[in-house]
Amino acid sequence: MLELLGSGLVSLWLEMAGVQIKPLDALDALTWQSSPGLVLAPDPNPTGATTVQGYLKKLITSKVVGQNLAESQGIWMQSGPMLMANHQGTTPLPAASLTKIATSLVALKTWGPDYQFDTLVSATGPVVNGVVQGDLVVAGRGDPLFVWEEAIALGNTLNQMGIKQVKGNLIITGNFAMNFQRQPMLAGVMLKQTLNRATWGRPAIYIHSTMPKGTPKPQVVIAGGVKVEAQPNPQQVLLVRHRSLPLKQLIKEMNVYSNNDMAEMLADSVGGAGVVQSTAASLARVPQVEIQLINGSGLGPENRISPRAACAMLMAIQGEAAAHQLNLADLFPMSGFDHRGTLHARHIPLATVIKTGTLRDVSALAGVMPTRDRGLVWFAIINRGTNVWGLRTEQDQLLQSVVKQLQQPPTVPVALTPHSAVNSLPQLGAASRNEILYKS
């Protein structure tokens, strides 16, 4: 790739687009290769700039935002090394759930797309005639998607091993959450109830009805209560290792539903918001000041990201994904492909990969949109204002206007075609991710 860039291919591409600049030398090419968000030239086609200016003007004239917020809107639109539109594009603004782009990038780089988080289940005493003579210990290691299905499958695995009773307590250690409840005591109470079908409530009954036909209902009766301990008993015997879904699927689920608890757990897994902030800026090759985070989810206006940085991070994710034969559509929702989560009720151009963000007075949208005349167009829109529905409508119309000017491509580019095997959660059911470690 670098040889192609250094040969002047980028310069030729820019000239074909009507941009008159001096030919790129090898150093320029190297800089652009290592900084995918770097802009080398403005777009001579005024479509992007004029459409964005019209969009900003309409926000005010239609009173979607007040005059006092006219300068609080941020937009960055880029195709390759060409800047198509910029309004406050390098200013860090409250980014809401665009923060999850940073969390996705750093988690993907740190762990790799196939990484799985372990949850270990142990006993502090021997198993005699199906009864654990001691406590059942669950040690969490950061699985952000341990839900009803995981708990039901875990109970069935224990039953398969012949375990039906626990004389002692359910002990929770480590970083364990269930159904996005990150308070370990509450997560433990939920797990204890789910392991025993006799104590199921309506949610567990409903989830079981959606599982594959014939899935057993577990019966593991725990005589004691639920306790949280900092350190597990060193004498315990490992029973089961439960593995999470691969990270690529965890990231996709997090972004499709913009799940804050999953984002917080993934951020914690890499060292917290500070690590996410600094690492994301480094990987995206943007100034550190353009990414300011207090958590990994985006909850709170203190999380600030510039529109340029949002685009650069998405480009960095695309590059990292490509190294593993994946792409952005395997990690974020795509219009026309994902019919769930934050894409619901949106009118975004076909095959656009997006991440949304919403707070009480913030509506944000970032992603990549395929076009015929400009290839992949990367964009980030961060709006301030309390009319969230109005802002969403205007964002969708802006993208529709741009793609109308630049034309939709005849087919979805390979670079944005989702891999069906990656995007099929049932292929890795919870039961298949349980490994029995105990030999009686």
Side-chain angles (χ1 to χ4, degrees):
M1 179 64 173
L2 180 56
E3 289 78 5
L4 292 175
L5 291 169
S7 69
L9 195 62
V10 173
S11 181
L12 176 62
W13 181 79
L14 290 169
E15 289 174 10
M16 290 175 63
V19 181
Q20 300 300 318
I21 62 171
K22 67 180 180 65
L24 294 173
D25 58 26
L27 182 59
D28 291 328
L30 178 61
T31 302
W32 186 58
Q33 172 75 353
S34 62
S35 304
L38 179 68
V39 168
L40 299 178
D43 189 348
N45 184 335
T47 296
T50 56
T51 302
V52 165
Q53 288 305 314
Y55 161 80
L56 292 168
K57 183 178 180 180
K58 185 182 177 185
L59 290 180
I60 304 301
T61 58
S62 63
K63 298 183 180 180
V64 175
V65 300
Q67 187 71 43
N68 61 318
L69 291 175
E71 290 304 311
S72 298
Q73 318 304 315
I75 297 178
W76 186 269
M77 195 171 290
Q78 177 179 345
S79 175
M82 286 198 310
L83 178 60
M84 299 174 62
N86 171 23
H87 180 82
Q88 303 281 18
T90 60
T91 302
L93 299 167
S97 284
L98 296 194
T99 299
K100 294 180 178 72
I101 299 173
T103 300
S104 299
L105 171 59
V106 178
L108 183 65
K109 183 66 176 179
T110 302
W111 302 117
D114 297 318
Y115 183 81
Q116 294 174 276
F117 295 92
D118 286 344
T119 300
L120 300 177
V121 181
S122 307
T124 60
V127 179
V128 180
N129 296 325
V131 180
V132 174
Q133 307 295 312
D135 300 324
L136 190 70
V137 182
V138 174
R141 294 185 176 180
D143 182 353
L145 197 59
F146 191 100
V147 290
W148 297 107
E149 292 90 340
E150 325 294 304
I152 290 171
L154 178 59
N156 286 333
T157 297
L158 291 172
N159 283 168
Q160 180 186 339
M161 297 167 63
I163 297 174
K164 293 187 176 181
Q165 294 183 45
V166 176
K167 273 195 170 182
N169 301 303
L170 175 62
I171 306 296
I172 303 296
T173 69
N175 185 11
F176 177 74
M178 179 173 168
N179 292 329
F180 317 117
Q181 172 54 256
R182 290 183 288 142
Q183 210 288 334
M185 175 60 77
L186 296 179
V189 169
M190 202 180 304
L191 175 61
K192 182 188 176 188
Q193 292 174 341
T194 312
L195 291 176
N196 180 8
R197 63 178 182 243
T199 56
W200 279 7
R202 288 185 179 180
I205 293 171
Y206 169 74
I207 292 298
H208 180 268
S209 73
T210 68
M211 296 177 73
K213 188 176 181 179
T215 298
K217 297 179 181 180
Q219 185 178 26
V220 179
V221 180
I222 300 174
V226 177
K227 294 185 177 181
V228 177
E229 295 184 358
Q231 297 294 330
N233 187 321
Q235 304 301 318
Q236 64 192 28
V237 177
L238 281 172
L239 301 176
V240 180
R241 174 186 287 112
H242 174 78
R243 290 188 173 91
S244 73
L245 287 166
L247 181 67
K248 57 195 172 191
Q249 290 182 283
L250 295 175
I251 290 176
K252 178 79 180 231
E253 288 297 293
M254 174 187 74
N255 288 319
V256 164
Y257 294 102
S258 203
N259 188 292
N260 294 321
D261 293 294
M262 291 184 71
E264 297 284 4
M265 292 189 73
L266 286 180
D268 287 346
S269 78
V270 300
V275 172
V276 172
Q277 171 182 299
S278 59
T279 307
S282 177
L283 292 172
R285 303 292 199 273
V286 296
Q288 293 278 339
V289 71
E290 292 190 33
I291 301 177
Q292 303 171 16
L293 307 180
I294 62 166
N295 56 45
S297 65
L299 284 174
E302 298 87 351
N303 291 287
R304 291 175 173 261
I305 298 172
S306 74
R308 174 175 71 172
C311 288
M313 288 190 293
L314 286 169
M315 292 182 198
I317 293 173
Q318 176 80 335
E320 184 65 26
H324 299 279
Q325 290 74 54
L326 301 171
N327 62 52
L328 210 64
D330 295 319
L331 303 168
F332 291 84
M334 173 187 253
S335 178
F337 178 79
D338 293 293
H339 306 285
R340 56 199 178 121
T342 61
L343 271 173
H344 179 68
R346 298 299 294 255
H347 301 283
I348 292 171
L350 185 68
T352 301
V353 181
I354 61 100
K355 181 69 197 80
T356 60
T358 306
L359 291 174
R360 183 182 62 83
D361 60 347
V362 176
S363 180
L365 182 68
V368 59
M369 177 172 60
T371 69
R372 185 194 68 183
D373 297 343
R374 278 290 182 270
L376 299 183
V377 174
W378 304 83
F379 63 87
I381 309 165
I382 301 178
N383 292 129
R384 301 296 306 277
T386 56
N387 185 354
V388 171
W389 284 107
L391 291 170
R392 289 176 179 173
T393 298
E394 295 300 329
Q395 291 165 1
D396 294 357
Q397 290 180 0
L398 170 60
L399 297 185
Q400 293 285 1
S401 296
V402 172
V403 81
K404 183 177 180 181
Q405 293 288 334
L406 300 178
Q407 300 295 310
Q408 281 194 329
T411 59
V412 178
V414 173
L416 291 181
T417 301
H419 295 79
S420 58
V422 176
N423 290 278
S424 181
L425 288 176
Q427 287 193 359
L428 286 170
S432 68
R433 291 181 274 112
N434 286 337
E435 179 188 2
I436 296 175
L437 303 174
Y438 177 74
K439 306 298 181 182
S440 59

